[in-house]
């Protein structure tokens, strides 16, 4: 085992991991759907559609409401105009702020790797009062690929100073897309089990799962010591 000398970078997913943003996403989607006379989505439908970025969210909405595919780009444009300003229904999950402060105080470089567009990510973190805690933000439009492709997480880790040949780091997220991109980089994945995942935890590769953010610092110390190696880094 490779014992680390410096606190390892810890990268976080955003929606369903640090913030419960589904109510705001639902409100924006439903404003657009109502405008065109379509039936609104309930909150569980929205939770099930979040995690692969805005385009995929809308592909799923269009399929669920049997809308014409040709309307996609107009619908996405109308949604984005609302999404950047939609914060009032979003909450930070319990103990998130305190836990991030603890990790930062211990010297862990912190980053975000989300499929949410970068401009919306900036706005959401600022509104949640969390922006100052992160050294690096990677959004769904920051690289040519979105999760589960490993490139966004790889970029975040590089920016936080992880050694590409030896990615000594942790990724914390809520979805199968997060688990998959961590696995392809050989980075231990810590699963927040109260988020928006569709699969059972047992179907996802993870080093540990947790329900309470106050347990995270101990998990980071336990799993951040491990060395991961993967072809994706070579
Ligand atoms: O799907 C999105 O837009 C964002 O989801 P994520 O923060 O869980 O990556
Ligand atoms: Mg998520």
């Amino acid at each position: 085992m490779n014992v680390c000398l410096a606190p390892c970078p810890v990268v976080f997913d955003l929606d369903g991991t640090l913030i419960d943003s589904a109510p705001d996403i639902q409100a924006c989607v439903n404003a657009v759907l109502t405008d065109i006379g379509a039936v609104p989505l309930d909150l569980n439908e929205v939770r099930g559609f979040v995690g692969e970025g805005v385009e995929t969210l809308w592909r799923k909405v269009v399929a669920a409401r049997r809308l014409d595919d040709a309307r996609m780009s107009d619908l996405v444009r109308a949604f984005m105009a609302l999404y950047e300003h939609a914060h009032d229904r979003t909450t930070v999950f319990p103990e998130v702020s305190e836990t991030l402060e603890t990790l930062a105080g211990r010297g862990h470089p912190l980053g975000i790797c989300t499929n949410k567009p970068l401009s919306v990510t900036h706005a959401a973190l600022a509104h949640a009062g969390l922006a100052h805690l992160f050294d690096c933000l990677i959004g769904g439009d920051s690289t040519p690929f979105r999760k589960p492709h490993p490139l966004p997480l790889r970029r975040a880790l590089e920016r936080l100073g992880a050694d590409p040949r030896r990615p000594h780091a942790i990724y914390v997220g809520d979805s199968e897309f997060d688990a998959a991109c961590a696995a392809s980089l050989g980075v231990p994945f810590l699963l927040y089990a109260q988020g928006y995942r569709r699969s059972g935890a047992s179907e996802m590769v993870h080093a540990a799962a947790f329900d309470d953010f106050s347990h995270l610092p101990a998990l980071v110390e336990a799993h951040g010591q491990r060395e991961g190696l993967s072809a994706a880094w070579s």
Side-chain angles (χ1 to χ4, degrees):
M1 189 204 274
N2 202 37
V3 177
C4 65
L5 299 175
C8 67
V10 185
V11 180
F12 293 85
D13 170 59
L14 185 55
D15 290 323
T17 297
L18 299 181
I19 60 173
D20 187 12
S21 47
D24 268 319
I25 297 173
Q26 179 194 28
C28 297
V29 169
N30 284 348
V32 175
L33 289 179
T34 305
D35 227 39
I36 60 167
V39 178
L41 300 186
D42 68 38
L43 193 56
N44 276 335
E45 283 178 291
V46 173
R47 283 204 188 96
F49 292 174
V50 172
E52 290 175 276
V54 168
E55 287 76 13
T56 304
L57 163 73
W58 273 97
R59 262 200 296 282
K60 291 177 177 178
V61 174
V62 163
R65 290 298 176 265
R66 298 173 195 276
L67 303 173
D68 183 353
D69 281 350
R71 303 179 89 163
M72 265 282 290
S73 51
D74 287 344
L75 296 172
V76 169
R77 201 171 312 116
F79 171 79
M80 284 302 297
L82 302 171
Y83 192 23
E84 298 210 15
H85 311 287
H87 307 296
D88 294 349
R89 298 172 176 84
T90 294
T91 52
V92 179
F93 284 115
E95 298 293 325
V96 162
S97 309
E98 297 82 347
T99 299
L100 293 173
E101 297 278 2
T102 299
L103 292 171
R106 290 181 186 177
H108 291 277
L110 304 183
I112 293 281
C113 176
T114 172
N115 277 343
K116 206 176 184 74
L118 190 61
S119 60
V120 188
T121 299
H122 274 289
L125 288 171
H127 197 266
L130 301 175
H132 65 287
L133 292 161
F134 295 100
D135 305 300
C136 154
L137 305 183
I138 298 291
D141 48 357
S142 298
T143 81
F145 298 100
R146 285 193 293 269
K147 300 176 291 182
H149 194 286
L151 184 62
L153 181 57
R154 181 180 170 139
R155 281 280 176 278
L157 294 173
E158 285 169 350
R159 290 212 193 146
L160 294 174
D163 178 351
R165 289 159 302 141
R166 197 168 287 185
H168 162 235
I170 294 274
Y171 189 40
V172 182
D174 71 316
S175 76
E176 29 292 270
F177 318 112
D178 303 329
C181 75
S184 58
L185 294 177
V187 170
F189 177 61
L190 301 182
L191 171 66
Y192 180 52
Q194 299 296 311
Y196 304 157
R197 74 196 144 86
R198 294 91 163 139
S199 320
S202 60
E203 292 161 48
M204 300 161 57
V205 178
H206 61 285
F210 65 102
D211 293 310
D212 180 337
F213 263 86
S214 66
H215 299 159
L216 186 62
L219 291 174
V220 166
E221 301 319 321
H223 295 278
Q225 302 292 322
R226 295 205 185 131
E227 178 181 7
L229 279 176
S230 150
W233 285 82
S234 56

